Amino acid sequence: MAEKEEEVCFKKETVSKLLCSFFKEDKTRLGSDATLLMREMLKVFVQEAALRSLKQAEAEDCNQVEIEHFEKILPQLLLDF
């Protein structure tokens, strides 16, 4: 499998809207540091999911990562985070 590294990046506005959608009170505010931290956490999570899915596909001698590979690694990934 060819190794191609691409930078995972989430827009600040997207992360902010996602987090704000879970706030129960309108008065709750989100600091810029919290948004930056969550962006980094999402970046690490997505990179780890991609890497583990790739390793699962390689372990099954597949040339392409399929959704089934992601589904197999997801339970442990969620426990690790």
Side-chain angles (χ1 to χ4, degrees):
M1 288 185 206
E3 289 195 30
K4 182 180 177 185
E5 250 185 74
E6 291 189 26
E7 187 68 24
V8 176
C9 185
F10 292 94
K11 292 181 182 178
K12 184 177 180 181
E13 296 81 26
T14 304
V15 174
S16 179
K17 286 182 181 181
L18 178 67
L19 291 173
C20 288
S21 69
F22 289 98
F23 293 163
K24 296 187 188 230
E25 295 184 24
D26 293 334
K27 295 179 182 180
T28 306
R29 298 285 176 237
L30 182 65
S32 62
D33 288 345
T35 304
L36 291 174
L37 178 63
M38 193 62 195
R39 284 176 69 190
E40 187 64 26
M41 288 285 294
L42 286 170
K43 176 183 168 183
V44 171
F45 184 83
V46 169
Q47 287 175 333
E48 187 66 22
L51 182 63
R52 290 185 188 193
S53 297
L54 176 64
K55 287 182 179 180
Q56 181 67 34
E58 288 174 345
E60 296 178 9
D61 293 326
C62 295
N63 293 328
Q64 188 173 348
V65 177
E66 301 288 340
I67 190 69
E68 291 81 20
H69 300 121
F70 175 70
E71 290 171 348
K72 288 178 182 178
I73 62 97
L74 187 58
Q76 187 62 47
L77 179 68
L78 292 173
L79 286 173
D80 291 345
F81 273 82

